[in-house]
Amino acid sequence: MKKIVILISGRGSNMQALLEADLPCTIAAVISNRADAAGLDVAKARGIATAVVAHKDYPDRASFDAALQREIDTFTPDFVVLAGFMRILTDAFVIHYLGRLVNIHPSLLPAYTGTHTHERALADGVKIHGCSVHFVTPELDGGPIIIQAAVPVMRNDTAATLSARVLHEEHRIYPQALRWLCRKQVWLDEHGKVASDRLEQPGAALVSPGLS
Ligand code: GRF
C-alpha cells in the first residue's frame, strides 16, 4: 500500500476530506509549519501521527525546508500532499520530491497563481472559476495539472461565497487525484507531462451564465 504525508498550515479542510475519503493508501502523518493549525487536532482525533516543523525556528527557507524534508522522510512516503501549506518551497525541496509532490490551488490554473485568487477572479469578471490539483515543480503554481473542477461565478458572489463553492469542489477532486496516483492511474512521465488512463469527457461543457 502506498504511503502519503500531508502538509498543512491551518484549517485543514482538504486534509480532512482526504482523511475521510477512504483512500487506497496509508496516511502516515500530517505535518504543519504552525503549531496552532486547527487541522492537527482533526488528524490527532483520527489517530494519525502529527508533527510540527515551525518555520519560525529556522533562519532561512533552505534550513527550514531541509528540516521539513528530514521529518517527512522519516515516514518514507510515496507522495507528499500539500493541503493549504502556506510556505513557498525551495527548488531543492521540490526537486527531491519531483513526481511525488502535489498541491491543490484555488483557481483554474494557469490563471490566478499565487494568493487572493477569488478576489482577483471577481475583479476580472470571469464567469467560470475553479480549482486545480497539480504536480509541484519549481515554478510557483506552474506544475503539470492532474485534475480541475470548474464552477460558475454568480452575479452576487463575494469572495466568501465563491471560495465556498470552489472549496466544495476541492474536497472532491483532491481525493480523486490521490486515488489515481496511489493506484498508478496517473503519473508524471519522463517528459514532465501528466500521463493517465483516466476517462475524458468529450462534449462536456459548463456554460455560465446558462444558455436559455
Ligand atoms: C484551499 O483553498 C487550498 O486550495 C489552498 O489553501 C486553502 C486551504 O484550505 N491551497 P484548507 O486548509 O484545506 O481548509
Side-chain angles (χ1 to χ4, degrees):
M1 177 100 80
K2 299 279 187 205
K3 262 196 282 184
I4 69 172
V5 165
I6 303 175
L7 304 190
I8 63 168
S9 295
R11 174 178 63 177
S13 72
N14 276 288
M15 173 212 73
Q16 188 165 356
L18 293 170
L19 300 190
E20 289 171 358
D22 195 21
L23 295 173
C25 63
T26 303
I27 299 175
V30 171
I31 302 175
S32 174
N33 64 307
R34 299 176 56 111
D36 62 355
L40 287 173
D41 293 331
V42 177
K44 278 183 204 152
R46 298 184 74 97
I48 311 272
T50 61
V52 174
V53 181
H55 63 276
K56 286 188 179 150
D57 293 348
Y58 297 86
D60 52 33
R61 245 185 241 294
S63 55
F64 168 65
D65 281 10
L68 182 62
Q69 185 178 313
R70 277 195 299 279
E71 183 65 35
I72 293 169
D73 287 348
T74 61
F75 297 98
T76 62
D78 296 285
F79 295 102
V80 177
V81 179
L82 306 180
F85 187 69
M86 302 306 283
R87 302 299 300 171
I88 293 176
L89 297 161
T90 54
D91 290 2
F93 180 97
V94 169
I95 286 161
H96 177 73
Y97 295 109
L98 199 64
R100 303 191 292 134
L101 180 62
V102 291
N103 181 42
I104 187 149
H105 183 77
S107 78
L108 289 174
L109 291 171
Y112 308 119
T113 59
T115 55
H116 304 295
T117 57
H118 309 306
E119 288 85 347
R120 288 154 63 206
L122 287 172
D124 284 347
V126 297
K127 301 299 178 218
I128 295 176
H129 185 47
C131 47
S132 310
V133 177
H134 63 95
F135 285 107
V136 178
T137 61
E139 188 192 341
L140 183 68
D141 299 326
I145 296 165
I146 296 169
I147 184 171
Q148 296 183 301
V151 301
V153 179
M154 305 298 193
R155 210 167 290 130
N156 295 322
D157 264 334
T158 61
T161 58
L162 182 55
S163 145
R165 192 173 311 118
V166 170
L167 193 65
H168 182 75
E169 299 307 316
E170 294 184 33
H171 296 164
R172 299 173 65 213
I173 66 170
Y174 218 1
Q176 179 66 82
L178 265 298
R179 232 173 261 128
W180 288 339
L181 290 164
C182 292
R183 292 188 186 135
K184 294 189 188 168
Q185 292 169 318
V186 167
W187 63 97
L188 191 66
D189 74 11
E190 64 276 23
H191 309 294
K193 303 268 185 217
V194 173
S196 162
D197 64 357
R198 294 300 80 203
L199 180 70
E200 293 185 313
Q201 299 178 73
L206 170 63
V207 179
S208 172
L211 301 173
S212 53

